[in-house]
Amino acid sequence: MTAVSRPPVQIAWVTDDLAAIEAMLTALLGVRKWVRMPGVHFAPDACTYRGEPADFIADIALSYAGDMQLELIAPVSGPSIYQDFLAERGPGLHHICIEAADADDFAVLLDDAAAQGAEVVTEGVLPGGMRFAYVSAPQSGVPFVEIAVFPAEIRAVFDYIKQEQQQ
């Protein structure tokens, strides 16, 4: 197992009402602004869900509380890790995300997770080149841990969103 510290870089919730969760987290955490990304497509040529090609859409809102990224996800269509979560548990904390330094580190982290018995539930590459995998980790006290590699293009978007909190 890799003995490198991996602090979370993101906390994410799944909901069927983005506006309600935005309002609550704004009040509780002092978030100033949310950036919405409607219709994010997890396409079958680039993503899998439970080992099969994925084809689902989710609306996403991002913000920051200090250096911690906050992500809200509302499933729109298609079977997904998010839709299943809502059906089984209702809205709530879905995952924390840790960042892999690069593709090699990503592979090491997935191997480490597998060695601990964690199952990869969803993985893929999103437009902009962000590579991600959700591993089932209920024994850790959170339903899923997301492992992600953020290329420069995605990092620039995150930096913009974070700067918006300071204005």
Side-chain angles (χ1 to χ4, degrees):
M1 174 163 229
T2 305
V4 176
S5 176
R6 304 286 181 172
V9 296
Q10 178 194 78
I11 303 170
W13 292 260
V14 169
T15 181
D16 52 6
D17 187 346
L18 285 178
I21 301 298
E22 285 173 347
M24 181 59 71
L25 292 177
T26 294
L28 291 172
L29 302 177
V31 173
R32 291 181 178 170
K33 207 178 263 189
W34 292 90
V35 174
R36 288 217 185 161
M37 295 175 285
V40 176
H41 187 205
F42 295 77
D45 60 337
C47 299
T48 62
Y49 176 55
R50 302 211 179 269
E52 300 293 325
D55 192 9
F56 59 91
I57 295 173
D59 292 339
I60 296 174
L62 293 176
S63 193
Y64 279 83
D67 289 330
M68 181 62 65
Q69 186 180 81
L70 308 175
E71 179 181 37
L72 309 179
I73 305 161
V76 174
S77 66
S80 70
I81 191 172
Y82 312 127
Q83 188 63 48
D84 286 354
F85 183 86
L86 277 177
E88 293 168 12
R89 302 174 190 206
L93 179 67
H94 184 263
H95 69 268
I96 60 170
C97 178
I98 59 173
E99 183 176 359
D102 55 31
D104 291 338
D105 192 35
F106 182 86
V108 167
L109 288 169
L110 283 182
D111 288 346
D112 288 351
Q116 295 300 310
E119 170 194 8
V120 175
V121 180
T122 297
E123 67 179 307
V125 178
L126 292 174
M130 184 185 125
R131 185 164 183 200
F132 72 96
Y134 287 105
V135 296
S136 178
Q139 66 276 24
S140 70
V142 63
F144 300 97
V145 172
E146 180 183 22
I147 301 166
V149 179
F150 304 117
E153 181 179 328
I154 299 296
R155 173 86 44 224
V157 172
F158 291 168
D159 288 346
Y160 167 79
I161 294 168
K162 191 173 183 181
Q163 289 172 352
E164 287 294 300
Q165 292 306 307
Q166 300 166 357
Q167 296 182 13

